[in-house]
Amino acid sequence: MVSPIREGFNLVTTSSGLQPTQTVRLEPSYVLPLAILIGSIPVALLNLWIGFVILAFSIFLLLQAATLRLEFTATDLDIYRGEKRIRRFPYREWENWRIFWPPVPILLYFKEINSIHFVPVLFDPKTLQNCLEQRCPYR
């Protein structure tokens, strides 16, 4: 699916036939927050306070999945809240990356020259993996 042009690149939302010059916006995935929400129920039966904390965390992740978007451009990973870009991570500053627990991806780790980042996988994991392999092939 190709959307209007953003910053001179075609904006696409699927991983089929990705080109390095295309801007790819990842679709949200609610699998991780919903799994945590469901997991909070039996925990709440054992300990109400811990169950409540886990439930609150899952609601926080649901809100993040609904409001945040990742865009892979030709040179950067951008994070948007709505239409406002809130953070930019240039690939040239990345040293490595890894998706933890590949059968059920739950966490993206990437290291820049001066900082380390952990991002919950609240986006389509297959497109995320494809974009990372294509634009940041070093691991």
Side-chain angles (χ1 to χ4, degrees), residues 25-77:
R25 176 174 277 190
L26 300 184
E27 292 295 319
S29 172
Y30 299 98
V31 173
L32 180 62
L34 290 175
I36 294 171
L37 186 135
I38 292 168
S40 72
I41 295 168
V43 172
L45 295 174
L46 298 172
N47 185 316
L48 186 60
W49 288 105
I50 293 174
F52 177 74
V53 169
I54 294 171
L55 174 68
F57 180 63
S58 69
I59 292 170
F60 168 75
L61 289 178
L62 279 168
L63 291 172
Q64 294 300 311
T67 60
L68 293 179
R69 295 293 170 262
L70 293 185
E71 279 191 7
F72 286 88
T73 68
T75 58
D76 309 300
L77 169 63

Side-chain angles (χ1 to χ4, degrees), residues 9 18-20 26 56 61 71 77 87 96 123 135 138:
F9 302 104
L18 293 178
Q19 300 298 319
L26 300 184
L61 289 178
E71 279 191 7
L77 169 63
R87 193 75 195 268
N96 59 22
F123 313 96
R135 291 148 201 243
Y138 39 86

Side-chain angles (χ1 to χ4, degrees), residues 2-12 19-24 71-76 78 80 85 88 135:
V2 178
S3 299
I5 293 178
R6 176 189 293 261
E7 297 181 16
F9 302 104
N10 288 328
L11 177 66
V12 297
Q19 300 298 319
T21 57
Q22 290 177 312
T23 295
V24 179
E71 279 191 7
F72 286 88
T73 68
T75 58
D76 309 300
D78 295 333
Y80 284 86
R85 185 178 68 219
R88 173 167 274 177
R135 291 148 201 243

Side-chain angles (χ1 to χ4, degrees), residues 31 97-109 121 123-130 132-133 139:
V31 173
W97 61 269
R98 169 169 272 149
I99 295 177
F100 288 107
W101 204 27
V104 181
I106 58 171
L107 191 65
L108 165 65
Y109 155 84
V121 177
F123 313 96
D124 174 37
K126 290 181 182 177
T127 307
L128 175 64
Q129 178 87 27
N130 290 341
L132 288 168
E133 288 173 350
R139 286 181 101 179

